[in-house]
Amino acid sequence: MDELKTWELIRHTHAHLVKGFEPALQPLIHKTGLEPHMWGLLLAVKTFEPEATTPSHLLVRVPYYAPEVYLERLEKLSALGMLDKVGEGRYRLNAFGRKAVGDFIEIARQAMVSLDPLPAESSARLASLLGRLVQASLNAGEPLRTWSISLSYKLMPPAEPPLPYTEQAFSCLAAYRDDAHLAAWRDTGLSAMALEELTLLWQGAVSSYDDICRKLAYRGHSCDIYNIVLRELRNLGFVDGPDHDLRLTSAGRMYRSNIEELTDRYFFESWQVLRKPEKEELYNLLQQLHAAIAEGVLRQN
C-alpha cells in the first residue's frame, strides 16, 4: 500500500468533511464576524493553555509570518473581547472567548455526527485505525519534536461518536506532518523565508521576484526581505536567472526534494504500527468516507 497515496486521500477527505460541516457554523461565524483564520487562532490559543499565547508560540509551527502579523491578530481578538492581554504580547482566552470556542467545537462536532455516512461499525473501525497512527506519532522519538501534534491532540474528543474523533485524528496527523517537515528543515541552515521561497520555485508556483512578493505579501514581510532571501538562494547556487525569469538550479531542486523525502521518511515511520492488511483496510474505509462526503458536499452546492 502506497502510504503517500493514503495520506493524500486523508487530506482530500478532510477538506471535503470541513466543507460538509461549515454550513452549520455559519450562524456563529456571522454573529461574531470572525474570519475562518481567526477561529483557527482562537483554537490555537486554547491548545497552548495553561500558557499564555505569544507570537513566538505561533511561529513554531508556521515560522513564515512576520511576528507583527500574529501580534496584530491577537490584539484584534483582544479588542473584540475574546482574549485578555496578560502581559506585553501575551494573551489568554477569557470567559467570552472560551464560550465562543466551545460553541464552535460543539456545533462542528454535532454536524459531523449527522454527516457520518458510514455504517457504525465501519466508522468506528476507521477511527480506531487512525487513532493508532496518532498514538504512534505522539510517541515518536528524535529527531522529531512532537510540538504540533501534541497541541492538536489536546482537542481530541472521545472515540464515540466516531466521526468527530476521525476528524480530529486528521488534524493531528496534519500537525505531525508539520512536525516532520520542521525536523527535516531545522538543521539545513536556511531561514524559514528562504525555505518558503525555494518551495514556491520548486512547486512552479512563481517564476519571478515580483511573483514572490505578490504571492507572499500576506506573510507580512517587506519585499526587501524577500530580495535579501533571493540573494541568499543565489549565493547557495539554488536559483539562477534574472529577477523576471527565475529558475531553480539542479542543486536547488535536489536540495528541496531531499527535504521533502526526509519529511516523508520521518512522517511515515510511525505508520509502521499498522500491518499491511490494516493499511489496506484504512485506505478502503477512507475511500468510502471520501466518496460519500464528497457527494454530500456536491448536493449542498
Side-chain angles (χ1 to χ4, degrees), residues 173 267 299:
L173 291 173
F267 179 63
R299 284 200 301 268

Coordinates of all heavy atoms in Angstrom, one line a residue, residues 173 267 299:
L173 N -2.8 14.3 12.5 CA -1.8 13.8 11.5 C -1.2 15.0 10.7 O -0.1 15.0 10.3 CB -2.4 12.7 10.6 CG -2.7 11.4 11.4 CD1 -3.5 10.5 10.5 CD2 -1.4 10.8 11.9
F267 N 7.7 11.3 8.7 CA 6.2 11.2 8.8 C 5.7 9.8 8.8 O 4.9 9.4 9.6 CB 5.6 12.1 7.8 CG 4.1 12.1 7.8 CD1 3.4 12.6 8.9 CD2 3.3 11.6 6.8 CE1 2.0 12.7 9.0 CE2 1.9 11.6 6.8 CZ 1.3 12.2 7.9
R299 N -24.1 17.9 -3.2 CA -25.6 18.2 -3.1 C -25.9 19.5 -2.4 O -26.8 20.2 -2.7 CB -26.2 17.0 -2.4 CG -26.4 15.7 -3.2 CD -27.5 14.8 -2.6 NE -27.1 14.5 -1.2 CZ -26.4 13.4 -0.9 NH1 -26.0 12.6 -1.8 NH2 -26.2 13.1 0.4

